[in-house]
Amino acid sequence: MVRSVREQYDENQAAGRLRVPLAAWRWAVGSGLVPAADAGPGVWSRAVVEAADPEAVRAALRGPIGAGVAADRLTQALGEPLPRCRPRVTASAVGHLAGAGFLVRLGGDAEFPDVHPDQVATLARRRDLPALLDQHVPLGPDQAARRLGVRRTDWDQVVRLGFVSPVNTVTIDYKHHGGLTDVPLYSAVDVALLPVVRPWIDWQAVRTVPAGRRSPLAALDPVVPGQDRVLLAEVARMCQVGRAAVVNWRRRHADFPAQAGGTHVHPEFDRSAVVAWLLDNDKIEVPTETPVGSLVVAAGGGGTQRFRIGDPWLALAEDAAGQDELSGWFTDEDADALAELAAAGFGVSVRRLTAPGTGPLAVPGEVRVIEHYRSGSGGLRLTLAWPAGLRGAAAERPAGGVVRHGVPYVGSAQGCACTWHDCGGLVPVDWCAEHGAAVVPAMEWHPGGGIHCAELSQR
């Protein structure tokens, strides 16, 4: 009797032929140690299998890790503490990343696979990890609420209004709490884009509503299916450009979405079609992180202490009699430390404040914490305030420090060597006969770059 010789092998048969673990064969294929399947989907020819080195295949696999461990390592890669509006990476997310080809399934459940630690480490080092997670990992309702930075009850209002729709569902067995339940899953990209594509909603108010308060979204009417349309002015707000720019795009680009309603003067367009076109043409971007600011304050003993501010919101008064306010999200430890510093004396001194949309600021003193509460989404938000007349520009050095100008009580002689500024103030040199240290009083000091400087420049 003649024994037949196998000419094709699936992954189990190939691993058995080489007498190596199945996970080792999968890793050898995924890492390129052996060629990809050449005899069909998931099938290798006898020549490829017999050409593989069993010892090399066995040695390449270094202890697979479970999906839960991999998820924890990817979560750590996002930052400590975890950035605001960024949910933890879950074991199911590891399964989605494996399905997208970023990780090799080495064993275990298909939804929660074992993976190679080196491949997880490589993925964790990628700068675009947040974008990859948004693109390939759908979110459950609680995760979606975290990604948007709102309470779960506010997220339920978002769904009720028809702003987002599920892209899939997953069945979860809650055992003693209801048994099998279908949980909707949402695209993280759709969630992240909500503040961009719905600019008329005060998302700042939604994200800061205290626990127990009614959602600001509850008073809105749901979108009529098939009637979610936008005017050119709202498209301009999405892109932060003028309406004329959108009119120009429509005229120049033949693939701009067709008019879906409205009039010739005020045309309406399907929102989803417009958003897709804006993304494809790089007119808008998917926010991967919330804006971050930095606060350097004067600490005891003449040192400084630095704080990270999530989603900073800065309101600057228009005159010296007003009050500036800064609010943002802090960790519990930072919030307690900052509140303690601000409670001492006349308030803490801000040596350097950087926030999106404004230059580095400094405040000589009297900075107070006027609001300190935990929002319904679990974040801790502080609001700081100070007299607007004290606000000034911060020095360029990392530790900051207020830049001071002086208002001269005397005029400028022809031989004045002081440094003059556009605001009308100056920084004197000691040897100046009119403004130097020997002439008292020659100067009225004030923080440079502040309201006083703005008033001087208009004289």
Side-chain angles (χ1 to χ4, degrees):
M1 181 177 179
V2 180
R3 293 184 60 183
S4 62
V5 178
R6 184 181 298 277
E7 297 294 336
Q8 295 180 346
Y9 296 80
D10 62 20
E11 61 178 12
N12 288 284
Q13 295 163 341
R17 176 68 178 82
L18 297 181
R19 296 182 180 181
V20 299
L22 175 59
W25 175 260
R26 288 177 173 173
W27 177 244
V29 175
S31 62
L33 183 61
V34 299
D38 63 333
V43 180
W44 288 261
S45 66
R46 181 161 64 97
V48 169
V49 175
E50 293 184 348
D53 182 352
E55 292 304 321
V57 170
R58 188 179 291 107
L61 182 66
R62 184 175 63 84
I65 58 176
V69 175
D72 289 343
R73 294 183 183 180
L74 292 177
T75 298
Q76 292 174 0
L78 293 174
E80 292 288 347
L82 193 65
R84 175 164 174 78
C85 295
R86 179 59 63 180
R88 293 185 61 84
V89 182
T90 62
S92 63
V94 174
H96 287 289
L97 291 172
F102 295 103
L103 297 169
V104 177
R105 287 190 174 96
L106 300 180
D109 191 292
E111 294 183 6
F112 312 104
D114 295 339
V115 292
H116 199 286
D118 292 348
Q119 198 172 33
V120 173
T122 300
L123 184 60
R125 288 193 294 267
R126 291 186 57 157
R127 296 176 62 90
D128 61 344
L129 177 60
L132 291 178
L133 292 170
D134 282 346
Q135 185 176 358
H136 298 286
V137 179
L139 304 176
D142 290 333
Q143 295 171 308
R146 168 80 185 193
R147 183 67 183 87
L148 188 58
V150 301
R151 305 173 300 176
R152 171 59 191 274
T153 183
D154 297 303
W155 173 255
D156 292 340
Q157 292 292 340
V158 169
V159 175
R160 178 190 68 84
L161 292 170
F163 291 170
V164 293
S165 299
V167 295
N168 206 341
T169 60
V170 61
T171 301
I172 298 178
D173 189 355
Y174 286 106
K175 305 296 183 183
H176 302 295
H177 301 281
L180 296 176
T181 303
D182 289 334
V183 177
L185 299 178
Y186 302 90
S187 163
V189 170
D190 292 345
V191 176
L193 276 173
L194 278 169
V196 177
V197 303
R198 309 275 176 177
W200 47 273
I201 291 179
D202 187 352
W203 292 102
Q204 183 74 18
V206 177
R207 286 171 168 167
T208 57
V209 59
R213 296 286 183 88
R214 186 170 183 260
S215 172
L217 302 174
L220 303 179
D221 294 326
V223 173
V224 178
Q227 299 295 317
D228 191 7
R229 298 173 180 173
V230 292
L231 297 169
L232 294 177
E234 187 173 351
V235 178
R237 288 184 63 186
M238 293 182 192
C239 307
Q240 299 182 358
V241 298
R243 184 180 182 277
V246 182
V247 172
N248 191 40
W249 296 342
R250 185 188 179 200
R251 182 184 303 115
R252 291 174 51 197
H253 297 279
D255 62 340
F256 193 90
Q259 182 175 341
T263 65
H264 177 72
V265 178
H266 300 289
E268 296 177 346
F269 304 86
D270 179 76
R271 187 185 300 271
S272 60
V274 168
V275 171
W277 188 90
L278 294 175
L279 286 171
D280 290 343
N281 289 271
D282 298 325
K283 303 302 183 183
I284 59 174
E285 295 181 350
V286 179
T288 56
E289 304 287 351
T290 55
V292 176
S294 175
L295 183 66
V296 179
V297 301
T304 60
Q305 192 166 348
R306 183 180 298 273
F307 300 94
R308 184 179 185 274
I309 315 171
D311 196 16
W313 179 77
L314 185 62
L316 301 179
E318 296 181 356
D319 56 68
Q323 176 177 268
D324 296 338
E325 292 187 7
L326 166 71
S327 61
W329 303 95
F330 295 80
T331 64
D332 289 7
E333 294 78 9
D334 282 357
D336 291 342
L338 185 56
E340 182 178 352
L341 288 171
F346 292 100
V348 71
S349 173
V350 172
R351 296 187 60 82
R352 187 175 181 86
L353 166 64
T354 57
T358 185
L361 302 178
V363 184
E366 297 189 43
V367 178
R368 313 174 312 282
V369 175
I370 63 172
E371 197 168 21
H372 183 174
Y373 73 92
R374 188 176 299 281
S375 76
S377 61
L380 190 59
R381 191 174 184 88
L382 292 186
T383 301
L384 310 178
W386 57 83
L390 294 181
R391 180 211 322 151
E396 292 299 324
R397 57 184 182 272
V402 66
V403 174
R404 290 184 178 273
H405 290 175
V407 180
Y409 287 122
V410 293
S412 172
Q414 186 174 0
C416 177
C418 301
T419 301
W420 287 80
H421 295 271
D422 294 338
C423 66
L426 58 83
V427 177
V429 294
D430 291 341
W431 58 85
C432 179
E434 289 188 294
H435 309 125
V439 183
V440 180
M443 305 290 293
E444 175 190 341
W445 289 100
H446 68 280
I451 288 180
H452 199 149
C453 283
E455 294 173 346
L456 285 174
S457 63
Q458 295 174 359
R459 293 179 183 176

